[in-house]
Amino acid sequence: MKNLFSTNEWMIVEKGFHPELNREAESIFSIGNGYMGQRANFEEKYSGDSLQGSYVAGIYYPDKTKVGWWKVGYPEYFAKVPNTTKFIGIDVTINQTEIDLARFKPEQFTRILNMKEGYLERNFTINLQKGQKVEISSMRFLSMADPDLCIIKYKIKPLDFNGSLSFNIYLDANVKNEDTNYGQKFLEDVNNLAEPGIAMLTARTLRTDFYMTAGMTYEIRINNKKIKCTPSVINKKGYVANLVSFTFKPDDEIVLFKYVSVQSSLYCPPENHFKNTFARLRYAKKSGFNKLFSAHRDEWERIWSISDVKIEGDIKAQQGIRFNIFQLNQTYTGKDERLNIGPKGFTGEKYGGSTYWDTEAFVLPFFLKTAPINVPRNLLLYRYRHLQKAIENARKLGFKDGAALYPMVTMNGEECHNEWEITFEEIHRNGAIAYAIYNYIRHTGDTGYMKDYGLEVLIAISRFWSQRVSFSENLGKYVILGVTGPNEYENNVNNNWYTNSIAVWTLSYTIQNIDNLKEKEPDTLEKIFRKTRFKYKKETQRWKEIISNMYFPFDEKRNVFLQQDGFTDKELKPASIISPSQRPLNQHWSWDRILRSCYIKQADVLQGLYFFEDSYDTEVIRRNFEFYEPLTVHESSLSACIHSILAARIGNIDKAYELYLRTARLDLDDYNKEVAEGLHITSMAGTWLAIVEGFAGFRISNNRVKLVPLIPKKWKSYSFHARFREILFEVKVTHSYCIITSLSDNTLPVSVNGKNYDILPHKSKKISI
């Protein structure tokens, strides 16, 4: 799919209709606003191949787990995000001919995602019959200012002929998911209303009992004059519509404005849905398209003012980073601690729209550095609110005394992933959640979070690690057996270096914070001990013993950390020898062949070096990078960004740039040949980190922003906005200097290449590099 979309700093543009790649384009052009989202399906009928998708945040369905045989402790369901009511529908018939781009090959077709202003646009021209040519354009947005609203502007211009036109303006809850395990419907229609000029439809998720109401109203203008029309009303099971018909003259410009409001039982009791929908539709119609779009555009201007990255001299890199920033911000706004970020966001069904460890390891750092403090705080509170469920998850597997295993995949805190080798072995996710607490506090300075919430989580996770280790008499060390690391191309391994490392780090960090609170707020600590039934001497003594005696596999010959026991028993051949026709491996090789190979799906040892780089010097990082990177196929979307950051860390700017471009354009160029299923939302944060933590070397050290700037040869400059302790600042890097500007009322403490500076409020400092 490379080069399908033209390069542009602020837009994704598809020229020419490519029905064989329609699903891919539907993913790329998806829009959302944190409250809801949708794939770039057409408003008018389309009988060709399409993945229909409209999604509402926080709504899920527990699709019964499908496995060959049941295992003790298996989750009962895999949470799925339901495809909800189709609310963009506008069927168009001109002179008794229904518009359908699967039947009419357009003479001209352009689809545009405007990332600066946050809207989707489409323009095409078709010949109906006997030279009857029609120009059609549509523009729609999901309002960032009024998140329950979707606004559509649909314009038709018949050229040089007259006739009749009808709009069938509808809402349709007779939708389904393609990824159902047993072909079940996730929704049922419970209440309809259809009257001239307005319609509403309430649907309910089966089993989970979430209610969603979509309502619509509209107006039609011909040559900018509002027309009165008497529609036919359609009201049947799961479907409501207004059918409007009228005549037109040559070159008339006919514009339909469709206003939609979507209510969710997460925010409004179902019994109030119709009342609230009426009110919201009245507000939308009274405000009108232009006023609503202006408010939406203003909100995007605010978002870009605090999160944009500008690259001078490399338009493909610029387009890639802005695409990823755009998708992140339209997926999650941080307004509700009950919500999180699914790997596909609102762009597809794969992964069920659920929460993975991706959030803590990749997305949280993006929001820590770009968003007000409440946004990353709510991401942590999401996990805190699920602590008791995490304890239940661990108890089901035989752990006790308040040990917690956070789920690999969840919507409500319950584990709902159904692959044994990941669900029960990929336990490193516990460490990522502990690390996220540390990362949050060092960035924000919000030390109160530790005593109010964080320490409870750390204690429960540490109890898990304490029970999960085994003591090997043969080694005289503690070991962790039967795990899967971040690299999912190896399962059920012993002593995964990253897993062992993050377990020991978590135990140490928990003890450190217990001792800190013991000294400063003993009464508060005592309350936490009572709440968690913590036995200080007994538990910390065991933790310290594990910390002092954990086994870490090491390759003496190569002087590198061993990914896990026995890794170098494999035939070590670089990934470069694999034919491109065999990539991605997971689409061409058997699982048995993958597991026996040396090839690494994503950063594993290097993930640990990224987290804990302060513990290792540059040469240690370099040796491990140069050993593992050639063996890595980067077939996880989470891989290239970590490698890019570490490549910059060791000064390999060319490799860092190569890997940056891969992560930045992973979806736009469809590297892994899977974008038809949806975008890789959570990995998009890694693109931003590859620039800010990679090229700019942004770290927090000694309560100061630390920068070690590098710049790719191809770029003239790059700049970004970031935050530290609620101080918004801008960094611009060229080949000879960097400029740091405080955009806040506080002084910014910063270090550049080891030298300290204090940037005064609203002042800049130019520093030679």
Side-chain angles (χ1 to χ4, degrees):
M1 202 173 74
K2 290 185 179 180
N3 303 318
L4 178 62
F5 310 115
S6 57
T7 49
N8 182 289
E9 288 189 359
W10 281 108
M11 293 188 287
I12 311 298
V13 181
E14 176 190 13
K15 293 183 178 179
F17 183 43
H18 306 274
E20 75 282 4
L21 294 173
N22 187 50
R23 287 190 180 223
E24 286 83 349
E26 288 176 337
S27 297
I28 294 292
F29 291 88
S30 296
I31 57 174
N33 62 10
Y35 177 85
M36 59 182 172
Q38 56 188 199
R39 290 171 59 81
N41 309 131
F42 298 160
E43 289 89 357
E44 74 279 352
K45 178 182 178 180
Y46 182 66
S47 59
D49 185 47
S50 171
L51 175 60
Q52 295 290 309
S54 296
Y55 313 106
V56 178
I59 306 300
Y60 68 93
Y61 177 84
D63 200 15
K64 183 175 171 57
T65 297
K66 190 172 187 177
V67 292
W69 64 91
W70 205 261
K71 299 179 178 72
V72 174
Y74 233 55
E76 295 183 1
Y77 66 89
F78 191 102
K80 302 287 179 66
V81 55
N83 178 22
T84 59
T85 300
K86 181 178 180 180
F87 53 77
I88 62 171
I90 304 170
D91 289 341
V92 181
T93 302
I94 301 175
N95 287 345
Q96 286 75 54
T97 300
E98 189 171 37
I99 305 300
D100 180 352
L101 287 184
R103 295 176 53 209
F104 295 97
K105 184 177 180 180
E107 288 186 1
Q108 171 274 334
F109 179 96
T110 306
R111 183 161 25 187
I112 299 169
L113 181 66
N114 187 309
M115 299 179 290
K116 188 173 186 178
E117 299 184 344
Y119 64 85
L120 172 63
E121 180 182 347
R122 190 165 48 100
N123 303 284
F124 61 93
T125 303
I126 57 173
N127 275 304
L128 294 178
Q129 54 187 348
K130 300 177 182 177
Q132 295 179 350
K133 187 178 291 188
V134 182
E135 292 178 351
I136 298 178
S137 66
S138 68
M139 173 184 170
R140 73 176 186 254
F141 62 95
L142 298 178
S143 177
M144 294 294 284
D146 296 287
D148 66 304
L149 298 183
C150 170
I151 317 299
I152 302 169
K153 180 180 181 180
Y154 198 92
K155 183 166 66 175
I156 295 177
K157 187 174 182 179
L159 304 179
D160 300 324
F161 73 100
N162 57 17
S164 62
L165 184 151
S166 67
F167 289 125
N168 185 46
I169 311 159
Y170 67 88
L171 307 170
D172 185 4
N174 296 305
V175 293
K176 63 180 182 179
N177 279 54
E178 288 192 357
D179 67 344
T180 60
N181 287 336
Y182 295 95
Q184 292 178 302
K185 281 196 68 174
F186 294 170
L187 290 180
E188 69 171 1
D189 168 37
V190 295
N191 200 6
N192 294 3
L193 179 147
E195 297 175 354
I198 194 167
M200 291 186 284
L201 189 155
T202 300
R204 179 183 74 90
T205 58
L206 300 169
R207 298 179 66 185
T208 45
D209 218 29
F210 292 108
Y211 286 77
M212 294 151 290
T213 297
M216 70 171 196
T217 188
Y218 58 91
E219 64 177 73
I220 299 171
R221 293 178 177 270
I222 298 180
N223 301 325
N224 206 31
K225 183 178 179 180
K226 187 175 179 180
I227 66 166
K228 291 184 178 181
C229 48
T230 305
S232 300
V233 173
I234 303 169
N235 189 345
K236 53 187 180 181
K237 185 171 179 59
Y239 185 95
V240 290
N242 274 200
L243 179 63
V244 183
S245 301
F246 48 88
T247 59
F248 58 83
K249 303 187 299 295
D251 298 319
D252 276 350
E253 185 176 86
I254 304 143
V255 180
L256 165 67
F257 295 97
K258 183 175 182 180
Y259 302 96
V260 174
S261 173
V262 177
Q263 301 292 312
S264 161
S265 57
L266 247 61
Y267 302 99
C268 176
E271 60 270 22
N272 294 338
H273 276 199
F274 272 22
K275 177 184 175 182
N276 282 13
T277 304
F278 268 120
R280 295 299 292 160
L281 293 176
R282 281 197 302 267
Y283 159 79
K285 193 171 183 180
K286 183 178 179 181
S287 298
F289 181 91
N290 291 337
K291 184 177 179 180
L292 294 170
F293 179 64
S294 179
H296 168 74
R297 185 176 53 207
D298 289 348
E299 184 60 16
W300 269 112
E301 183 177 5
R302 182 196 65 80
I303 292 168
W304 285 116
S305 74
I306 61 174
S307 62
D308 191 20
V309 172
K310 298 176 184 177
I311 298 172
E312 188 181 10
D314 189 344
I315 194 168
K316 290 191 74 172
Q318 176 68 87
Q319 184 186 44
I321 185 64
R322 280 193 173 135
F323 178 69
N324 293 342
I325 294 170
F326 174 74
Q327 293 293 348
L328 282 162
N329 278 299
Q330 70 169 2
T331 300
Y332 183 75
T333 60
K335 296 175 182 177
D336 187 343
E337 67 183 50
R338 295 173 297 175
L339 302 182
N340 209 279
I341 304 136
K344 296 296 183 188
F346 297 121
T347 70
E349 298 176 6
K350 191 176 181 182
Y351 301 124
S354 303
T355 304
Y356 285 60
W357 73 289
D358 306 20
T359 292
E360 285 73 29
F362 295 89
V363 184
L364 179 73
F366 168 78
F367 286 114
L368 276 174
K369 292 179 174 70
T370 62
I373 191 172
N374 66 291
V375 176
R377 200 172 199 269
N378 277 343
L379 285 174
L380 291 187
L381 285 172
Y382 176 89
R383 293 295 194 180
Y384 175 77
R385 305 300 183 205
H386 289 173
L387 177 56
Q388 292 308 310
K389 288 285 188 181
I391 291 171
E392 288 177 24
N393 293 335
R395 189 182 301 128
K396 290 175 183 177
L397 302 182
F399 296 88
K400 58 186 180 180
D401 299 328
L405 176 59
Y406 275 91
M408 186 64 187
V409 178
T410 193
M411 276 290 195
N412 63 0
E414 292 179 303
E415 177 63 75
C416 63
H417 195 276
N418 57 9
E419 295 178 52
W420 181 269
E421 68 277 6
I422 293 175
T423 307
F424 303 109
E425 294 184 349
E426 206 164 326
I427 55 176
H428 65 83
R429 77 257 193 174
N430 247 14
I433 291 167
Y435 188 86
I437 296 170
Y438 158 75
N439 213 10
Y440 168 80
I441 292 173
R442 70 170 173 165
H443 274 82
T444 65
D446 181 12
T447 55
Y449 186 86
M450 181 60 71
K451 65 180 182 181
D452 292 339
Y453 308 105
L455 190 54
E456 286 182 55
V457 174
L458 291 175
I459 288 171
I461 290 174
S462 293
R463 283 169 162 169
F464 171 83
W465 290 125
S466 177
Q467 296 175 40
R468 185 61 171 80
V469 303
S470 307
F471 186 78
S472 166
E473 292 187 7
N474 183 44
L475 293 172
K477 295 281 186 179
Y478 285 96
V479 296
I480 303 181
L481 308 176
V483 301
T484 299
N487 170 34
E488 294 170 347
Y489 281 0
E490 294 183 288
N491 303 150
N492 198 32
V493 302
N494 296 331
N495 295 309
N496 174 262
W497 183 87
Y498 170 70
T499 303
N500 289 19
S501 295
I502 206 160
V504 165
W505 177 88
T506 302
L507 294 170
S508 299
Y509 184 58
T510 306
I511 292 172
Q512 173 190 327
N513 280 281
I514 288 173
D515 290 346
N516 182 57
L517 211 54
K518 188 176 184 181
E519 178 184 341
K520 295 180 179 178
E521 297 190 45
D523 291 344
T524 300
L525 183 64
E526 188 57 38
K527 290 179 183 177
I528 296 171
F529 282 177
R530 286 199 299 270
K531 185 175 182 180
T532 59
R533 298 181 181 179
F534 189 73
K535 299 176 178 63
Y536 174 78
K537 185 176 180 179
K538 179 182 178 182
E539 297 195 56
T540 58
Q541 183 175 339
R542 175 167 170 80
W543 295 356
K544 289 174 183 177
E545 184 181 344
I546 294 168
I547 293 166
S548 299
N549 295 284
M550 178 63 80
Y551 170 68
F552 296 99
F554 188 80
D555 186 322
E556 300 284 352
K557 177 182 176 182
R558 297 172 180 83
N559 202 19
V560 297
F561 302 120
L562 201 57
Q563 183 155 289
Q564 72 267 339
D565 288 348
F567 180 77
T568 50
D569 293 337
K570 296 178 179 240
E571 190 174 6
L572 302 177
K573 292 183 178 181
S576 58
I577 70 168
I578 305 171
S579 167
S581 66
Q582 295 295 298
R583 303 282 296 273
L585 298 184
N586 57 31
Q587 296 176 23
H588 295 90
W589 287 15
S590 69
W591 197 241
D592 169 72
R593 186 180 179 187
I594 289 173
L595 292 176
R596 288 186 288 107
S597 79
C598 66
Y599 300 119
I600 300 169
K601 182 182 181 184
Q602 72 185 81
D604 201 318
V605 168
L606 299 185
Q607 181 74 40
L609 293 176
Y610 164 68
F611 273 171
F612 308 123
E613 65 174 352
D614 289 346
S615 301
Y616 307 101
D617 62 33
T618 300
E619 285 310 308
V620 170
I621 297 172
R622 186 190 310 280
R623 282 197 306 273
N624 282 274
F625 182 88
E626 291 177 352
F627 176 69
Y628 284 109
E629 201 284 327
L631 303 175
T632 305
V633 290
H634 300 296
E635 289 173 10
S636 164
S637 64
L638 303 173
S639 184
C641 58
I642 297 300
H643 286 77
S644 179
I645 293 167
L646 291 179
R649 169 72 169 76
I650 63 176
N652 190 342
I653 191 68
D654 291 339
K655 192 66 177 178
Y657 174 74
E658 172 198 325
L659 292 165
Y660 161 77
L661 209 57
R662 181 185 178 97
T663 186
R665 299 189 64 85
L666 177 73
D667 288 324
L668 289 176
D669 292 341
D670 200 11
Y671 274 94
N672 288 344
K673 299 180 176 63
E674 57 187 14
V675 79
E677 300 170 333
L679 304 178
H680 296 86
I681 299 298
T682 49
S683 75
M684 288 176 170
T687 309
W688 194 90
L689 296 175
I691 292 178
V692 175
E693 293 187 355
F695 299 141
F698 182 166
R699 304 290 189 275
I700 302 299
S701 180
N702 297 320
N703 295 314
R704 186 174 285 270
V705 172
K706 174 185 172 184
L707 299 171
V708 184
L710 299 171
I711 183 169
K713 296 171 185 175
K714 187 174 181 180
W715 297 1
K716 294 180 181 179
S717 72
Y718 64 93
S719 61
F720 60 87
H721 291 88
R723 288 177 185 268
F724 171 65
R725 310 283 165 89
E726 289 298 272
I727 302 171
L728 182 67
F729 62 96
E730 181 183 51
V731 175
K732 180 175 182 178
V733 179
T734 73
H735 287 275
S736 56
Y737 62 85
C738 72
I739 299 174
I740 305 170
T741 304
S742 170
L743 303 174
S744 300
D745 295 332
N746 296 309
T747 297
L748 174 70
V750 66
S751 164
V752 180
N753 290 332
K755 187 174 181 180
N756 291 345
Y757 303 89
D758 291 313
I759 312 299
L760 297 176
H762 304 286
K763 298 294 183 182
S764 297
K765 181 74 175 178
K766 184 176 181 179
I767 302 166
S768 173
I769 58 171

